[in-house]
Every structure is written in structure tokens, then in C-alpha cells.
Amino acid sequence: MPHDDAHASATPESALLARLPAALAAALRAPAYAAHLAGIDPAAVTDRAALARLPVLRKGEMPARQREALPFGGFVPGVAGGFPRLFTSPGPIFEPQRSGEDPWGGAPALAAAGFRPGEVVLNTFGYHLTPGGFIFDTAARALGCAVIPAGPGNTEQQLDLIEAYRPAGYVGTPDFLKVLLDSGQKAGRDVSSLVKALVSGAAFPPSLQAEFRERGIAAAQAYATADVGFIAYETPGEPGLRVGDGVILEIVRPGTGDPVPEGEVGEIVVTVLDLDRPLIRYALGDLTAALPGGRIRGWMGRADQAAKVKGMFVRPEQVAEIARRHPDLGRLRLVVTRADEADAMTLRAESASAEAALAEAVSETLRTVTKLRGTVELVAPGSLPNDGKVIADERPVG
């Protein structure tokens, strides 16, 4: 049935948590998940605290895990032939399409962006091998829209399609929407039917948002990934992004699975409660912060901040281990620079104490954990930026 609620509400928290045990039981039918979640009793995982005790599975590990057991690495409780479509995304990561009318949960995002049943939608996300085009295609059709499966590129042909079919809505990257509008204006083509857009997949700076408004297009943005689908999306008149239906979203300290307080920048971890393709505490490597009312600030950068120092990788997990060993410290930031034509590390640590003995103890821990020498600088609590960055590589490029 088409969705026509412009402000479709997210699934209540209690209803999501009630579905957790079944999703966990489904995951345990996949051999790699059974090993990853060994000893877990699905029936006991019924709240966020219990969920937070489960191990994180990192998206960055998935290409290697899948190569060990193609195609899905043993993390899917079913065979490839049991899914309607099969995709690959950069990595490569192999992904099946879930079943259902709106398998990636995008119809509410389109409705919130002002799309309505009976409208024509120009879909410029790619349909070749990757799921992007299908993610937005199925969402628009579930809403009751007709879809032009245009894909990216072929600008002149797309202008022909716009003049012929008069689509009201556009889905794709904000960059390509600007290309279409500029090309249409330069060639004297009529693209005035486009009055709304849902964009994703690229930065959408305020300057470009303002330009679209001046050109008569109401453009909203969504945060979606190939493996999860729609994670969060804009709703009119509300700050940040609303977390999508069927997704339990946590924000954790980079390199750990530990949830951070509301407002603190951290890494996005999602649990998808789909029984055909469950994802349990799946760390995406993207940064955000929580807002009141179950919303997030949107994409704020990447959490994968590994840096090679003197030929050895230093990772956020190692900074998190230093924090674990010194619980009285606040935020930590490992700054990598060059000094005397050599790599140098400085660990800046928020601390109420400025005692030299503490700095020396933390320095010893830094050396033990990373196998590298570095200096420790104790700074005032609250003085480090709240941006989720735990490793800052400030060495000059080139």
C-alpha cells in the first residue's frame, strides 16, 4: 500500500526493542554470526544496555571476511539464490537485496521530503551492480510514484526525459542535480517541472542548499548506505535527521563499542532487524552526534582514523585502550606531526590533574599499547574539540 504521510513517524523504541531477540536468533543461523556472537542468549537482549554488551562488527572488516567465505562471509542466514537481487559495492562488499515492497525503508524519507503518490520521479542513482538505484527506486514505487530509471550521466538524454515526462521529483547526488539544472539553463531546456529533491551520497553544503531554494527546488537530504539502506533523513522544520524505521542506531566512541553521551560525537553503529539479512551492531565508520528526540546531526566525517607512524599503524582502538587503562582522563587525541624529518606523536589528554607523574604513566601506556614513543600533554577538561576525532594526522602532504 502506498505511503502518503509526509511526516511518517519512526517505529517506537519499545516496538524496535521487542524485535531484537528474533533478529538475533536469525543472525545466529549464519555461521560467522554464530561464531561472532558465541554464547549470546537472544531472549536476554531486550534493551539498549544488553545490546551495547554485544560485540561490534566493523564494515571495514567485511571485504576480508567475505573473501574467506564468498559471497557473504557467513554473515547471512540464507543462500544467494534466495534473494531477489545481488549487488556489489566498493570494497568490494557483496550484498543481497532484502525482500518486501520497500526493502531499504526509504518511502518515509521520500514522503517527508514532499514526494506524493502519482508523481513522476527522476532517479539518477546507478542501477549497474550497485544497489543505489534500486534503493531509491523501490522506495519511490512503494510510495506510489512512477520512476524514470535514468542512472547517472547522459545529461542531454536526461534533459529529454525531463521535458517528456515532467518529473516533479529528483533523487540522486546534489552535485548531479546542479549539473542538470546548469546544463538545462545553458541549453534553453525546460526543467521547471523539478520542484523537489531527495539527495544523498555527497556533501550538501548550505551554499548549494540555498542555490536550489533560489531555483525553486525544495531539497532534503538522506543518510543511506548500500548495506543498510535508509538510516536517517530530514523532516521539515525539525533539526538534524530522523532515524529511520527498523533501525536501532547507537553512537559509540571510535575504536570501541561503548555508547557515548548525547551530544558527543562518535561512530555510528546500526542494528537492522530484518530476519533475512540481519545486521547486529554494524559499525559503519561514519561519525555523528545524537540530538534530543531520537535524531542525529547527520554525517560528520569518518571514524577510521588509522595513521602509519614510523612504519607502524596506530588505530583508534589503541587510543581507546589507553583511555580504558586511565579512566580518570577525559577526551584523548593523538596528534601525529613531523619533527626533525621524523614522525612524532603527541597524546593530548583531558585531565583535572596536571601532575607530571600522571603524564609519565600515560606516556608509558602509550608506548606499551602502540609500541611507539610519544609525548603526553595534559590539557584542561573540555578543551579538546567534540568532533569524534581521536587521531589527527597533521603531517604535511606532498
Side-chain angles (χ1 to χ4, degrees):
M1 179 181 294
H3 303 266
D4 58 4
D5 177 10
H7 303 285
S9 61
T11 304
E13 174 92 350
S14 58
L16 283 176
L17 294 173
R19 293 165 55 192
L20 253 177
L24 275 167
L28 289 171
R29 292 198 294 271
Y33 256 134
H36 180 69
L37 299 171
I40 299 299
D41 176 10
V45 185
T46 57
D47 56 31
R48 282 184 176 267
L51 179 64
R53 289 192 287 270
L54 303 185
V56 163
L57 176 64
R58 300 198 173 278
K59 180 174 181 173
E61 301 172 3
M62 197 52 69
R65 300 293 291 268
Q66 290 187 341
R67 284 194 297 271
E68 294 171 359
L70 291 170
F72 304 129
F75 286 99
V76 174
V79 297
F83 293 92
R85 292 188 182 93
L86 303 168
F87 302 104
T88 182
S89 56
I93 296 177
F94 300 104
E95 284 296 332
Q97 176 181 318
R98 303 181 186 97
S99 58
E101 180 186 49
D102 184 17
W104 291 281
L110 285 167
F115 289 64
R116 294 293 178 269
E119 292 180 335
V120 177
V121 176
L122 179 72
N123 183 8
T124 69
F125 283 109
Y127 283 79
H128 180 62
L129 295 180
T130 61
F134 291 96
I135 288 173
F136 284 80
D137 187 298
T138 54
R141 291 195 294 121
L143 187 62
C145 299
V147 179
I148 305 170
N154 302 308
T155 305
E156 186 148 342
Q157 189 174 6
Q158 299 227 21
L159 295 174
D160 293 339
L161 289 166
I162 292 170
E163 288 187 327
Y165 287 119
R166 310 302 293 161
Y170 165 96
V171 295
T173 66
D175 309 45
F176 190 60
L177 177 55
K178 179 171 169 55
V179 168
L180 284 176
L181 296 175
D182 290 348
S183 299
Q185 184 178 45
K186 184 176 181 180
R189 308 294 293 270
D190 183 5
V191 296
S192 61
S193 66
L194 291 174
V195 295
K196 62 190 73 173
L198 183 64
V199 299
S200 190
F204 190 30
S207 57
L208 189 54
Q209 297 174 34
E211 180 179 338
F212 288 161
R213 284 194 298 270
E214 290 167 4
R215 300 174 87 156
I217 297 176
Q221 55 188 319
Y223 170 47
T225 65
D227 32 22
V228 178
F230 281 78
I231 297 169
Y233 55 90
E234 272 192 286
T235 51
E238 297 181 305
L241 305 179
R242 171 182 292 173
V243 177
D245 293 356
V247 175
I248 298 176
L249 186 145
E250 302 170 89
I251 302 172
V252 306
R253 200 168 307 284
T256 77
D258 303 330
V260 299
E262 183 177 285
E264 184 92 2
V265 177
E267 183 179 6
I268 297 172
V269 170
V270 294
T271 295
V272 179
L273 304 171
D274 184 277
L275 301 185
D276 295 327
R277 199 329 180 200
L279 289 169
I280 309 299
R281 300 207 82 203
Y282 193 56
L284 298 176
D286 291 329
L287 297 172
T288 194
L291 296 172
R295 306 175 69 83
I296 62 173
R297 285 178 59 183
W299 186 83
M300 296 178 67
R302 292 290 295 169
D304 340 1
Q305 301 160 24
K308 186 174 277 189
V309 182
K310 298 181 180 178
M312 295 180 63
F313 276 107
V314 181
R315 303 183 184 279
E317 293 88 340
Q318 292 172 305
V319 180
E321 175 60 19
I322 296 169
R324 188 188 69 78
R325 297 189 188 189
H326 298 276
D328 291 338
L329 298 178
R331 293 193 187 105
L332 302 181
R333 177 172 299 213
L334 186 67
V335 180
V336 184
T337 56
R338 295 281 289 177
D340 298 325
E341 299 302 325
D343 292 338
M345 298 192 313
T346 299
L347 181 67
R348 293 180 182 150
E350 293 183 350
S351 172
S353 168
E355 293 181 4
L358 175 60
E360 185 177 340
V362 176
S363 178
E364 178 62 29
T365 303
L366 173 65
R367 184 164 55 252
T368 300
V369 170
T370 66
K371 313 303 180 190
L372 294 165
R373 292 184 180 276
T375 60
V376 170
E377 180 183 338
L378 300 178
V379 300
S383 62
L384 292 178
N386 177 23
D387 57 7
K389 186 175 287 188
V390 294
I391 298 177
D393 192 340
E394 297 181 358
R395 290 171 292 188
V397 177

